[in-house]
Amino acid sequence: MEATTATHAARTAESLPGPRPWPVVGNGLQLRLDRLHLQLEGWAREYGAPFTFNIRSRRFVVVDSPEVIGQVLRRRPEQFRRSERLESVSREMGFLGLFAANGDTWRRQRPMVLAGLDPAHIREFFPALVAVTDRLRRRWLRAAQAGETIDLQADLMRFTVDVTTGLAFGEDLNTLETPGDDTIQRHLNVVMPALFKRILSPVDPPAWLRRLRERELQAHIHELRQAVQGFIAKTRKVLAGQPALRDRPQNLIQALVAGRDREGSGLTDEDVAGNVLTMLLAGEDTTANTLAWMFWHLHRNPAAAAAARAEVDAVLQGAAGVQDLAQLGRLDLVEACANETMRLKPVAPFIMNQVVEDTQVGDVAVRKGQFVICLMRPGGLDAATFAQPEAYDPMRWLGEGASAHAMASAKRHTMPFGAGPRMCPGRYLALAEIKLAAAMLLANFELVDVSPPGGGEPRETVSIVMSPVGLRMKLRARG
Ligand code: HEM
């Protein structure tokens, strides 16, 4: 891991060590996009960080020290931005929302999205969250009773899509109980990898070639846009019937539409649609895959699972799931299991930034237009902060014998939700979902098996979000 920041004697990005580039394409053809995070982590071990690589004329600097990462992420939006390619591809695909936006567009959108996802809204939405979690329980109870194997990630994505559409759009899709109706997930599963490939591919093919190659992708994007237009049209109807909601919107989409219609807002219909799609993209895979990794870890670590179950049983007192926020707040060990999962299996294993104006990252001078990739996992595997870093040990987050200072330092080393002005606005919702689903699982079921086909450790794959490949789960209902 690289040394901490020094502000003098800057090295240039080009002078850093790194994999040997090929003529013209640089390292572009060496990249394995589906396991890019593993490749970058491997190069960081081989060459040390910071290291560099390039894709044609695009120069990348990769950093992995939590201190340097914190500095980069906190210097947004002035000195670092999301990449121009992400912004232009997202605009073209129709989901230019908060995640991909920059500058003034981002500044205008951020408060609105924050307000839609803040703890107060989550409190109001809590009964609906409880109801959606209970649907997942009923779905899994049926599977357990029938002795069926559960497609874990698909079921968890139904759960997160139902939560996100409920909270953000006031729409009860109920994909958990609608057989076969996984429309949104199916389209997102095609669009996410395509977006990721476009952002990083060595050359961005011309529009005519893309149209030819991406006919199928365009069909998925079209379907997603149709769904989004449907949500927006319904919202407009509701606002027309109850104009008072324009000043006191009840959910994110109402806030976006009302904001768009306000004179001089600077927001467009595209901004509204882009943010609706962004919520689906950002809220679905991240939370679902964190839960999938967590259940896999709990199955592999029966002592941790037993301790978490004891806490759940004590808090729920025989209920089938969490009923209120007070109970949720008492699930410290369950939350620690989530923290430990995100330390070992961060679903956002890197955060890519583009340099807005010439500046310095640690002791490296970076120029406008170059890229700084923050590798998020190495900080969580640092033995100086985490004893036996490879072990899954949720107790380390509970401060048993550890000082508040050590806890704060541990949190600064992992940053699963990013840091600084662009930190994830969905983190309260995500943690609530994770704790609700995990408590429901532990209260009602024994984990008979959680494994990929063939067993062993699931392969990690990345397409914006890092996920396990093919996790299956078998449950037995508790007596
Ligand atoms: C376990 C679940 C989640 C994880 C690990 C996660 C992680 C992240 C990370 C690492 C970022 C980038 C932060 C940065 O650049 O500093 C981010 C941004 C974002 N996340 Fe999440 N996220 C999760 C769930 C959610 C949910 C549930 C939503 C909304 C429903 C959401 C919405 C967003 C949005 C809109 C952004 C862009 C923020 C901006 O650029 O200003 N996320 N998330």
Side-chain angles (χ1 to χ4, degrees), residues 76 82 98-99 106 110 282-283 286-287 290 416-419 422 424-425:
R76 297 175 296 178
R82 302 259 190 244
L98 189 67
F99 191 85
W106 174 80
R110 175 94 185 171
T286 44
T287 313
T290 300
F417 296 106
R422 300 200 72 144
C424 175

Side-chain angles (χ1 to χ4, degrees), residues 320-395:
V322 171
Q323 301 301 313
D324 55 45
L325 276 164
Q327 288 181 338
L328 197 76
R330 279 161 45 216
L331 294 175
D332 294 335
L333 184 50
V334 175
E335 187 163 324
C337 292
N339 285 333
E340 187 67 344
T341 303
M342 294 191 283
R343 180 179 73 81
L344 292 170
K345 300 289 182 188
V347 295
F350 54 82
I351 298 179
M352 171 121 68
N353 306 278
Q354 193 164 12
V355 181
V356 174
E357 54 185 38
D358 295 4
T359 183
Q360 208 165 311
V361 170
D363 69 346
V364 181
V366 286
R367 289 197 310 279
K368 179 178 175 182
Q370 293 184 329
F371 299 87
V372 178
I373 299 183
C374 299
L375 267 188
M376 306 307 282
R377 179 153 52 184
L381 296 177
D382 178 10
T385 310
F386 300 98
Q388 293 187 301
E390 305 296 333
Y392 184 80
D393 176 14
M395 297 306 281

